[in-house]
Amino acid sequence: MSILKIKNLNFSYNNNKKVLNDINIEFEKGKIYGIFGKSGAGKSTLLSLLAGLEKTKDGDILYNDMDVDNISREKYRSTVVGIIFQSYNLLYKYTPLENVILSMNIAGIKNINKKEKALELLNKVHINEEKANSKVLHLSGGEMQRVAIARALSTSAEIILADEPTGNLDKANEDEIITILKNLAHKEDKCVIVVSHSENVKNMVDKVFYLENGKILDN
Ligand SMILES: Nc1ncnc2c1ncn2[C@@H]1O[C@H](COP(=O)(O)OP(=O)(O)O)[C@@H](O)[C@H]1O
Ligand SMILES: [Mg+2]
């Protein structure tokens, strides 16, 4: 059964130019998907809609067959989806540990040892305790993105959305990030959706969708 469904989705911003045109896709748990397409094709817009950052106007997004518009935005964004951006979007003056714990606090997570859970997640993405306690500012790009992945996982989100997560990284770091995301799908049964430009990423995902002028091309 699919965890996330896009049904007859059309979208335009206020200027009325159609950015997404009749999109229909079903995503399952345990798989990693790639969405590819030229700059301006509508990839980030699609991901924003899936993330609940942008509201649907025409067509539906269903999470476990429930219309996402009928679920509390806050709950959906803080517990169902985890988001990873090209530019990491971390709090640079804080430590990785603080970044992950803050995200748990925002999600209202209680009754667990948050520090222990955060260290465990950081450890999973190969950030050791010493790194976890030094400022994000001092980390490399690859390390920052791994912290962002730990943060996305901190609320036990079932769906991980990544917008060009390796856009600022070299090939070795890209491989590492995609391998981590792939393992989350294959070993932890997450549904992972990655927007990318990279041929290398294309070869690492389970299924590829191409977006062109707002439409999904048959492949
Ligand atoms: N907030 C916005 N307001 C108006 N137009 C936007 C906005 N964000 C993106 N667009 C337009 O929507 C189209 C798709 O953009 P985007 O989804 O960012 O594409 P991609 O991520 O594939 O490069 C582009 O024409 C872009 O200019
Ligand atoms: Mg984009």
Side-chain angles (χ1 to χ4, degrees):
M1 195 195 98
S2 42
I3 184 169
L4 202 56
K5 270 186 211 164
I6 307 177
K7 278 176 78 177
N8 308 321
L9 181 68
N10 294 287
F11 187 82
S12 346
Y13 290 99
N14 296 327
N15 55 13
N16 285 325
K17 184 188 154 239
K18 211 167 203 184
V19 176
L20 297 175
N21 191 342
D22 197 28
I23 308 278
N24 287 280
I25 308 181
E26 297 196 4
F27 299 101
E28 291 171 13
K29 284 171 84 165
K31 287 201 176 138
I32 178 165
Y33 297 87
I35 298 175
F36 296 87
K38 289 189 190 136
S39 182
K43 304 181 298 298
S44 294
T45 302
L46 183 60
L47 221 57
S48 301
L49 284 154
L50 291 175
L53 297 171
E54 199 73 62
K55 241 178 156 17
T56 59
K57 301 170 187 167
D58 179 3
D60 296 309
I61 294 176
L62 306 175
Y63 161 65
N64 285 336
D65 286 330
M66 286 174 291
D67 192 329
V68 167
D69 286 338
N70 296 335
I71 308 171
S72 139
R73 306 257 104 188
E74 221 166 86
K75 181 160 186 261
Y76 181 75
R77 285 204 296 253
S78 63
T79 63
V80 176
V81 290
I83 313 173
I84 299 159
F85 300 94
Q86 176 172 354
S87 50
Y88 323 124
N89 290 20
L90 299 167
L91 298 171
Y92 297 95
K93 289 185 184 168
Y94 292 84
T95 67
L97 190 59
E98 288 163 340
N99 272 269
V100 176
I101 291 175
L102 186 64
S103 152
M104 292 181 191
N105 288 340
I106 291 170
I109 291 173
K110 294 190 184 90
N111 306 324
I112 63 161
N113 185 331
K114 287 182 233 180
K115 186 177 171 193
E116 200 174 286
K117 171 88 191 282
L119 283 173
E120 184 190 307
L121 289 170
L122 287 162
N123 189 37
K124 187 162 32 182
V125 294
H126 322 304
I127 301 289
N128 64 26
E129 192 160 351
E130 190 192 332
K131 283 252 157 83
N133 282 295
S134 50
K135 285 204 168 71
V136 166
L137 206 62
H138 303 302
L139 302 181
S140 71
E143 287 166 341
M144 287 186 196
Q145 198 56 298
R146 284 186 271 128
V147 173
I149 294 175
R151 181 182 57 183
L153 294 171
S154 68
T155 62
S156 310
E158 291 176 286
I159 301 166
I160 303 293
L161 304 170
D163 197 352
E164 313 255 8
T166 61
N168 292 336
L169 303 177
D170 60 22
K171 166 116 181 11
N173 276 297
E174 174 168 270
D175 284 349
E176 187 171 18
I177 295 294
I178 299 300
T179 301
I180 289 170
L181 293 175
K182 207 169 158 172
N183 284 339
L184 289 175
H186 294 172
K187 299 191 178 153
E188 299 188 29
D189 207 31
K190 307 272 184 200
C191 171
V192 182
I193 305 172
V194 184
V195 160
S196 177
H197 268 113
S198 159
E199 282 297 318
N200 184 37
V201 173
K202 208 175 279 176
N203 296 327
M204 292 179 81
V205 298
D206 296 326
K207 186 164 171 61
V208 171
F209 295 103
Y210 291 95
L211 200 53
E212 194 175 296
N213 297 326
K215 282 194 169 186
I216 295 289
L217 300 183
D218 289 330
N219 57 325

